[in-house]
Amino acid sequence: MKVTLKGLYKRPMKLADGSTKTYFYAWRGGPRLLSEPNTPDFIAEFQAAKDSLRELPRGTIAWLIQDFKKSQDWQDLKDRTKRDHEEMFVKIKHEFGTTTLSRAEAHGSRKAFKAWRDHLGKSSHKTADKAISSLSRLFTHAIDQEVMQRNPVKGLGKLYKSNRADKWWRTEQIKAFRSTASPQLRLALKMALDTGQRQGDLLDLNWSDYNGTHISLTQNKTGKKVSILASDELKAMLDAQPKTSTKILVNGKGIPWTPLGFSASWRKAAAKAGLKDLTFHDLRGTFVMQCLQADMKIEDIRLVTGHSLSGLRTLEKHYMGWDSDAADNVILALQQNRKGTKL
């Protein structure tokens, strides 16, 4: 994505190993931009820095975005959540930035916001849902600040619907991915398979979260704290990994992945391996399935994954129909018992 960002300042720096790395700043003397260049995250971060310099006309949605980002509620959000909102704020500001709050809550506005969501949904249901979620968060802030009386998008249904409880990676699919993926993606694969954690939590992991035996983290989605023993194979991979960043998972350049950059690289590697309809998140379910196959109790599994009991019971029900070896044994036993009997 090539976009001209007026005022963007680039500064090449020589690193300790002799290589050169270019750092980007919102303007000369301004804040450093941490996202990967030429990505939606980078553009959103640049725009947010620029907007912080000027006061916007009070009472518009663009002003509301600025006001929300000054609040303690915004400061308390996880970095990943902030990045997700920033990306959607760019879209919201482009479409509704000059819309006044009185017009936003007026009768008939809900229909307009729903039409916008449906328009975004033609390209991506997930993006459309994320945009409405961010817009709803802004309106909630407006109500808290007593500049709006109602949230016109509250209760709008989601476009994206998916139940992937029956999607998991088989052994041959894992081998196929490993055979074509980069070393960086193979480490991400192993971390997901051996910890059962979500993509965002793994991308956020710092080396300080690994003490040589255990990986400790607080899940972004649930707020649950988990400590996971590194398997022998995972420990060997981690201990051999060069530390080019404070983050454990980095791309081929040694730079921390952005969520979009990681997803794009993962999809390319999966396509190259001939894998269809399997996602990184499905590795989380695969971890649970493998634990169930090893006769582990769901009460124990949740200590690692952070799942709710109801969520794990749903996966357990799907597992009952997954053990293909057990299913084959039923037919083989039946076949053996029928020998000599013609039906």
Side-chain angles (χ1 to χ4, degrees):
M1 179 185 293
K2 290 287 185 180
V3 178
T4 300
L5 301 176
K6 189 175 181 180
L8 180 67
Y9 178 65
K10 296 187 288 186
R11 184 182 179 188
M13 296 285 287
K14 197 166 185 177
L15 304 181
D17 62 2
S19 63
T20 300
K21 181 178 179 181
T22 300
Y23 291 99
F24 293 84
Y25 300 82
W27 59 86
R28 189 182 183 96
R32 182 181 156 199
L33 305 178
L34 302 179
S35 303
E36 186 174 346
N38 300 319
T39 65
D41 282 348
F42 185 81
I43 297 169
E45 189 178 2
F46 173 83
Q47 191 60 53
K50 286 287 190 179
D51 286 347
S52 67
L53 292 176
R54 59 191 180 94
E55 279 293 329
L56 299 171
R58 183 179 176 85
T60 63
I61 289 181
W63 168 83
L64 182 62
I65 292 172
Q66 188 179 71
D67 191 68
F68 175 50
K69 289 163 64 175
K70 294 177 181 177
S71 70
Q72 187 60 49
D73 287 341
W74 173 262
Q75 299 304 320
D76 290 342
L77 295 177
K78 299 284 187 181
D79 288 343
R80 170 67 188 278
T81 305
K82 288 180 182 177
R83 290 197 299 268
D84 288 344
H85 278 316
E86 290 278 22
E87 183 183 346
M88 294 302 108
F89 288 166
V90 172
K91 297 180 183 296
I92 292 168
K93 191 181 299 182
H94 177 76
E95 187 71 19
F96 301 111
T98 59
T99 301
T100 62
L101 301 185
S102 59
R103 185 177 177 187
E105 67 177 341
H107 180 73
S109 63
R110 183 181 178 88
K111 182 179 179 180
F113 290 128
K114 185 175 183 296
W116 178 62
R117 182 206 66 178
D118 293 347
H119 174 72
L120 293 177
K122 292 177 181 178
S123 300
S124 169
H125 283 185
K126 282 187 176 180
T127 298
D129 290 340
K130 286 170 65 176
I132 290 299
S133 177
S134 292
L135 189 59
S136 182
R137 185 63 189 85
L138 288 172
F139 290 149
T140 298
H141 172 72
I143 293 170
D144 289 342
Q145 297 301 306
E146 298 185 338
V147 292
M148 287 181 69
Q149 294 184 4
R150 75 181 188 101
N151 181 343
V153 298
K154 185 178 181 179
L156 272 185
K158 291 189 175 182
L159 295 179
Y160 181 77
K161 295 178 175 63
S162 176
N163 180 7
R164 304 193 64 84
D166 59 348
K167 300 290 183 183
W168 47 82
W169 291 63
R170 270 64 172 181
T171 302
E172 62 273 15
Q173 293 166 327
I174 294 171
K175 289 180 178 178
F177 186 87
R178 280 180 177 148
S179 68
T180 62
S182 66
Q184 293 78 22
L185 289 178
R186 288 200 295 271
L187 176 60
L189 172 74
K190 188 62 177 174
M191 290 188 73
L193 283 171
D194 286 19
T195 68
Q197 301 306 305
R198 298 177 181 85
Q199 175 182 310
D201 291 326
L202 292 177
L203 292 182
D204 283 344
L205 279 177
N206 294 305
W207 281 110
S208 58
D209 297 321
Y210 171 60
N211 65 4
T213 60
H214 289 74
I215 295 171
S216 301
L217 62 94
T218 300
Q219 295 181 333
N220 284 310
K221 184 175 181 179
T222 66
K224 293 180 180 177
K225 294 182 178 181
V226 295
S227 180
I228 308 151
L229 176 68
S231 67
D232 290 343
E233 290 183 0
L234 178 56
K235 175 177 167 55
M237 291 181 73
L238 288 172
D239 291 346
Q241 186 76 2
K243 296 178 175 62
T244 60
S245 168
T246 56
K247 299 293 184 186
I248 295 178
L249 292 178
V250 295
N251 60 24
K253 297 179 181 179
I255 301 171
W257 293 101
T258 63
L260 288 175
F262 179 83
S263 296
S265 295
W266 186 271
R267 284 195 300 270
K268 289 178 183 177
K272 189 175 180 180
L275 303 178
K276 297 180 179 179
D277 198 29
L278 280 175
T279 68
F280 186 91
H281 189 72
D282 295 332
L283 292 168
R284 182 165 158 83
T286 303
F287 174 85
V288 174
M289 294 298 178
Q290 291 177 346
C291 289
L292 290 171
Q293 193 176 34
D295 294 326
M296 298 180 193
K297 297 179 180 178
I298 58 174
E299 291 82 358
D300 295 334
I301 297 172
R302 70 192 292 251
L303 297 177
V304 175
T305 64
H307 275 101
S308 64
L309 277 176
S310 60
L312 279 179
R313 288 191 178 111
T314 298
L315 287 169
E316 187 178 33
K317 290 177 183 177
H318 284 277
Y319 167 70
M320 300 303 291
W322 174 61
D323 195 340
S324 57
D325 289 339
D328 289 350
N329 288 337
V330 171
I331 302 302
L332 290 172
L334 179 61
Q335 181 176 274
Q336 182 66 28
N337 189 55
R338 283 178 175 174
K339 276 188 177 179
T341 304
K342 198 167 185 178
L343 298 177

